[in-house]
Amino acid sequence: MIFAPASITCIFSPQVEDDPRKSGSVGVGFTISKGLTAEKSNRTTINGEERNFSTLEHVIEKAGLKGVKIESELPFGCGFGMSGAAALAAANLGDMGYIDAADLAHIAEVTNFTGLGDVVTQTFGGLVVRKNAACPSMAKLERFFWDVEFDFVVMGEVSTKDVIGDDVQRRRIAEAGRIWTKEFLKRPTLDNLFHCSNSFAKETGLLELVDDAIEAVESFGGKAGMVMLGRTVFAVNGYDALKEFGAPFKARLDCCGVRRV
């Protein structure tokens, strides 16, 4: 059985090329202690229901699997990188090396516009600064390992394809993402992560999807930011304030990445 952690993207700068191995995103994200597990099966199910999607189908076919049984702790489409997690966990069930499986999952994500940087973050684990847009085997990155517990609340879905599939929007996000990734690297602290994440989200117009929840956390003395891409908020010392917006939960920063369990 393979466990793949959820990926929380804070800042991203998309770059889409003809070669999916050289596509992805520069940016900042981290893995958490919640995610999903996958094991071989004769059919494909997610939390007991027969379900599939293009990214996962791509991996299943290339990895030579009949199907996979996925059990997910978190919803798809809400910014947790679960499509990437499913692809990565499934790829690791095939008969191939660790980094080849990671590249396969990344290519499937990029080709189907379900994600750009999640698989790189989920492959290595921790807080990951992606310094180039590329598949895991070609990735240049810095990693940080913090002992921190985050609070989360999910308020709805955002279609990754709707955001990164539009050329004008993608260029605007790309420019802001490069700037705020560099700003974070100047001072890679938890406080600066929230500052740079919120500055990026505000500059790109994405913050308005969750600004009420972020303001509520800050009014209680906590810090909060937007999970890209979803109507989801991550916070520190924000659990009580987030109750107004849904059912909050806690998860720790995970420093191990995808692994066999």
Side-chain angles (χ1 to χ4, degrees), residues 6-18:
S7 167
I8 309 302
T9 298
C10 308
I11 304 166
F12 71 105
S13 175
Q15 180 178 314
V16 179
E17 305 289 346
D18 291 337

Side-chain angles (χ1 to χ4, degrees), residues 24-219:
S25 69
V26 169
V28 183
F30 59 90
T31 49
I32 60 173
S33 54
K34 290 184 180 292
L36 58 75
T37 59
E39 56 186 307
K40 291 181 180 179
S41 177
N42 289 324
R43 59 196 183 104
T44 299
T45 60
I46 299 177
N47 291 348
E49 296 185 6
E50 289 203 26
R51 180 181 168 195
N52 212 333
F53 53 95
S54 56
T55 301
L56 185 56
E57 286 177 351
H58 181 119
V59 170
I60 289 171
E61 179 183 349
K62 296 293 184 181
L65 303 172
K66 291 182 179 180
V68 291
K69 176 185 177 183
I70 291 173
E71 295 294 331
S72 178
E73 299 175 274
L74 298 169
F76 284 68
C78 296
F80 294 108
M82 300 313 288
S83 61
L88 184 58
N92 274 275
L93 293 171
D95 186 19
M96 66 186 78
Y98 181 83
I99 203 67
D100 289 334
D103 281 356
L104 171 59
H106 175 86
I107 289 168
E109 274 260 272
V110 169
T111 302
N112 291 284
F113 275 102
T114 52
L116 292 174
D118 289 319
V119 170
V120 173
T121 299
Q122 290 159 332
T123 297
F124 296 101
L127 186 134
V128 179
V129 181
R130 302 182 306 277
K131 301 172 79 171
N132 67 331
C135 62
S137 66
M138 300 168 66
K140 298 175 183 178
L141 50 88
E142 289 191 37
R143 297 164 73 202
F144 301 91
F145 306 109
W146 299 339
D147 182 14
V148 57
E149 184 176 59
F150 292 98
D151 307 310
F152 297 88
V153 72
V154 178
M155 297 180 289
E157 299 182 11
V158 173
S159 168
T160 299
K161 189 172 184 177
D162 287 349
V163 175
I164 65 174
D166 179 83
D167 288 342
V168 174
Q169 173 79 335
R170 189 166 64 241
R171 282 195 294 269
R172 188 171 73 220
I173 291 173
E175 182 177 359
R178 284 191 296 269
I179 291 170
W180 288 107
T181 297
K182 290 179 182 177
E183 286 299 312
F184 172 73
L185 277 172
K186 290 178 182 177
R187 189 164 54 91
T189 65
L190 184 60
D191 283 350
N192 199 36
L193 177 66
F194 283 107
H195 169 68
C196 293
S197 175
N198 286 334
S199 298
F200 166 73
K202 185 174 183 180
E203 210 168 284
T204 55
L206 295 168
L207 191 67
E208 63 188 36
L209 295 169
V210 297
D211 55 359
D212 288 350
I214 290 175
E215 289 173 8
V217 171
E218 291 175 345
S219 71

